[in-house]
């Protein structure tokens, strides 16, 4: 679910910026959004698509915490792991 939410952030942002999303792949420990865009795309648009995955995930995790949904404790640990992994790719 966390990976889906994370990739949804990239997907929706790409669609809002009129990019073509070829596919979204979800793996057991990660995901990948394949976005088709021109090589001369502005840095701001690329950065916005890049950052919205983690921001969607953070927002979703905060909502889960605020509304006290019954999730296992490792849900939060896994969320932090995904964020850390994404930071290390930058």
């Amino acid at each position: 679910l966390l990976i889906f939410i994370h990739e949804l952030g990239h997907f929706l942002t790409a669609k809002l910026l009129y990019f073509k999303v070829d596919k979204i792949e979800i793996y057991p420990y990660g995901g990948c959004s394949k976005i088709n865009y021109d090589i001369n795309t502005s840095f701001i648009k690329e950065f916005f698509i890049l950052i919205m995955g983690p921001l969607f995930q953070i927002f979703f995790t905060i909502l889960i915490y605020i509304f006290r949904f019954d999730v296992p404790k490792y849900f939060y640990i896994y969320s932090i792991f995904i964020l850390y992994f994404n930071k290390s790719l930058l």
Side-chain angles (χ1 to χ4, degrees), residues 6-31:
H6 181 102
E7 295 304 323
L8 184 65
H10 296 305
F11 172 80
L12 292 175
T13 306
K15 285 296 190 180
L16 285 172
L17 295 174
Y18 303 105
F19 289 105
K20 181 179 181 273
V21 180
D22 292 335
K23 63 181 171 178
I24 297 176
E25 297 175 345
I26 304 291
Y27 307 114
Y29 296 104

Side-chain angles (χ1 to χ4, degrees), residues 66-83:
I66 288 173
F67 290 109
R68 306 274 186 216
F69 287 111
D70 188 25
V71 295
K73 190 174 256 185
Y74 64 82
F75 172 86
Y76 300 105
I77 295 169
Y78 191 55
S79 182
I80 291 169
F81 172 76
I82 294 172
L83 292 172

